[in-house]
Amino acid sequence: MTRSHHARLWRPAIAAGAAIAVTAGVVAAAPDAQKAQSKPKFSLIAASTSVTLDSWKEEPGVYLDLGTYLTAENGPLELKVTRKSYKDPVVATQIIRQGNKAPRSKTLPAGLVKDFSGLPGFVRITVTDAAGKTVVTKDEAFCPNNASGRVRPDAPAKSKYPQSCPTNPFTLGSVWGVENGWASNTYSGFYTAPVALPAGKYTAKVSVAKRYRDLFGIADKPQTISVTVRERSWEEGASASAAKEHAGHAAAGHSGHSGHSARPKAPAAPTSGAGPSYNVGHGPYPPAPPAVPWAIKKAALKAASQAGDGAGRTDGSRKAPALTPNANRPTGKASVPNVPKPDLRSLPAYGIQISDGGDDVPGKDYLAFSANVWNAGPAQLVVDGFRSPGKKLMDAYQYFYDADGKQVGYAPTGTMEWDPRPGHEHWHFTDFASYRLLKADQKEAVRSGKEAFCLANTDAVDYTVKNANWHPENTDLSTACGQENSISVREVLDVGSGDTYTQDLPGQSFDITDLPNGTYYIQVLANPEKRLQETDLGNNSALRKVVLGGKPGARTVKVPAHDLVDAN
């Protein structure tokens, strides 16, 4: 599967005094005042009274990253968002934590939250020009897991909440939160549209919608920010090659599994917004840009080529370290102990569309789709590959651990193979999943040629299951798949996360050129050869109904809603 990275130019917005830390003295209450307050307090603040936003000649439009944040004091803002099944609506529940007291819960009004991408219509942005005329009025959703940082020096060193909100249409559960003593950016990042603002001076007013003020007890204190819009070109400030190099670092891990995006969309300025890729997936949804460290914002464009993984950067801009496999292949007798094991499950296919073979395979019709296999736990899937010197294949082993994390067993589970093709160049674990197009009677019509995978935690499918890891490590290909000269590789699918592949190339998508019109089912089948040890082998298959129509060269596909999920 081609895992090309979508090139994204790094385009920082430069705001005077944008670091969250400057607000600490304003929002941090005195110790006595904190003790006197009995419940969590949430406030809308602005990191700066003025910002400079860029409008790019190559891609007109301004993204309204105004540097406004929601702070949490005396306890976190925590939301548990779930649905029992795809036949049930999404339910959001606030978990209220106050010191050492037992947490209590409050269910948000039915229908307020319809998906897992955040709180809809959380803030209203009104922009007026120098003459006082309103030129933009816009409502923005808010993901509490957005780019964030501490506002008090005594706040927890790390936020326990996940980074970013999932957008996979078949997400089952998520946890959102603003850590106690932290602030989360209200800017929607990639998931918002730019606005038309010519270069000039403006005033922006940001306010929290009344329904959320009432729900969470947020004071009605809108923030006013002076805005300067300047028109620029991508080539300014840094060389094109440096910008592209940084873009590769910024976007790495978002689109590694994807080929051609089914929903192309211009990227937002990656100064804040959603975090690592595993909550976005390698499927048809374009990646959100990672947040850029506040220190780099202050250092402006000259720092563009210096972004990386540095101390104190908690905003999602860094790449996770590679997972280290065992130094040597296991010895002794293989055994499958009675300890917790992973539970692989398939999500229904999505991102379904008709494609052609392009110049490589002209005159063909293909059915492209995205597929996700996830781990419902309660244990990680851990697979190590070991290569004997000179051999092309690695021998793969699944490892098992007790409740204390001690390795207590292993079992052989197939092989890993090196894929040398451009855009791949990594080790694939064989027989992880298979994809089949079934007829109306659910007999096989076409099978995808995709059978080998590099495992990475691309999507947060359900972070409410037991032992879900809200901060998985191998979230992109650079941390999961090894190098050509690797002697061993470790690939992990963490509890609560899934791995999305987009099947959009000939040999991977379904060749429907000679198939008659009618009803079919896309089957996503995890662990097809049952080589991996699981807690349950009865939930590995998922079906998605499609209806093919049209004529050769102009085929069509209709994708009925899957229960309440109406996403193709």
Side-chain angles (χ1 to χ4, degrees), residues 61-398:
V62 177
Y63 289 90
L64 297 177
D65 181 9
L66 300 170
T68 52
Y69 296 81
L70 188 75
T71 67
E73 294 288 341
N74 305 318
L77 171 64
E78 181 174 324
L79 299 171
K80 182 179 179 182
V81 189
T82 61
R83 58 181 164 201
K84 293 180 180 179
S85 73
Y86 301 126
K87 296 180 180 180
D88 297 290
V90 174
V91 176
T93 303
Q94 182 183 3
I95 309 300
I96 302 172
R97 302 183 185 277
Q98 295 176 248
N100 295 325
K101 296 181 180 179
R104 54 192 178 89
S105 61
K106 180 177 72 173
T107 303
L108 272 57
L112 177 64
V113 177
K114 296 179 174 59
D115 57 28
F116 295 87
S117 61
L119 297 168
F122 186 83
V123 296
R124 168 155 288 195
I125 301 172
T126 304
V127 181
T128 55
D129 63 15
K133 178 183 177 182
T134 299
V135 292
V136 172
T137 300
K138 176 174 198 185
D139 293 331
E140 290 272 345
F142 171 54
C143 170
N145 296 346
N146 230 340
S148 58
R150 288 187 283 187
V151 293
R152 289 202 327 259
D154 63 335
K158 294 182 179 180
S159 171
K160 60 178 167 288
Y161 299 105
Q163 295 183 37
S164 87
C165 294
T167 59
N168 188 305
F170 289 101
T171 300
L172 288 163
S174 185
V175 177
W176 304 339
V178 181
E179 183 61 271
N180 182 29
W182 284 57
S184 183
N185 200 322
T186 63
Y187 168 59
S188 294
F190 191 86
Y191 305 106
T192 186
V195 298
L197 284 178
K201 301 287 187 179
Y202 301 89
T203 300
K205 178 183 176 182
V206 183
S207 58
V208 176
K210 185 178 185 303
R211 59 182 174 180
Y212 292 111
R213 297 200 309 267
D214 294 343
L215 270 175
F216 302 128
I218 303 171
D220 185 11
K221 293 183 178 180
Q223 298 297 313
T224 301
I225 303 102
S226 296
V227 179
T228 299
V229 174
R230 61 181 177 182
E231 187 178 69
R232 307 192 64 200
S233 172
W234 289 348
E235 282 72 30
E236 295 177 23
S239 68
S241 59
K244 289 180 181 178
E245 179 182 359
H246 180 83
H249 290 301
H254 283 285
S255 53
H257 289 295
S258 66
H260 307 290
S261 172
R263 298 189 180 185
K265 183 178 178 183
T271 55
S272 57
S277 62
Y278 52 85
N279 287 333
V280 179
H282 298 168
Y285 294 92
V292 174
W294 302 115
I296 289 182
K297 292 180 72 173
K298 293 169 68 176
L301 287 171
K302 68 180 182 180
S305 62
Q306 301 173 0
D309 186 14
R313 291 180 179 167
T314 61
D315 57 9
S317 63
R318 62 179 184 232
K319 289 195 295 185
L323 295 169
T324 304
N326 285 306
N328 300 295
R329 69 177 63 226
T331 58
K333 185 177 180 180
S335 64
V336 181
N338 184 23
V339 294
K341 296 178 181 65
D343 181 11
L344 299 180
R345 302 183 185 181
S346 299
L347 297 184
Y350 63 102
I352 301 165
Q353 61 182 0
I354 300 293
S355 65
D356 58 42
D359 295 333
D360 296 329
V361 191
K364 291 281 190 177
D365 295 312
Y366 293 94
L367 184 65
F369 61 98
S370 288
N372 182 291
V373 172
W374 71 288
N375 180 8
Q380 288 182 318
L381 171 65
V382 180
V383 178
D384 279 7
F386 299 92
R387 181 166 62 176
S388 298
K391 289 191 175 182
K392 292 184 177 181
L393 294 179
M394 288 187 179
D395 297 318
Y397 299 86
Q398 181 181 359

Side-chain angles (χ1 to χ4, degrees), residues 20-35:
I20 298 177
V22 301
T23 66
V26 178
V27 300
D32 291 342
Q34 291 180 21
K35 291 179 181 178

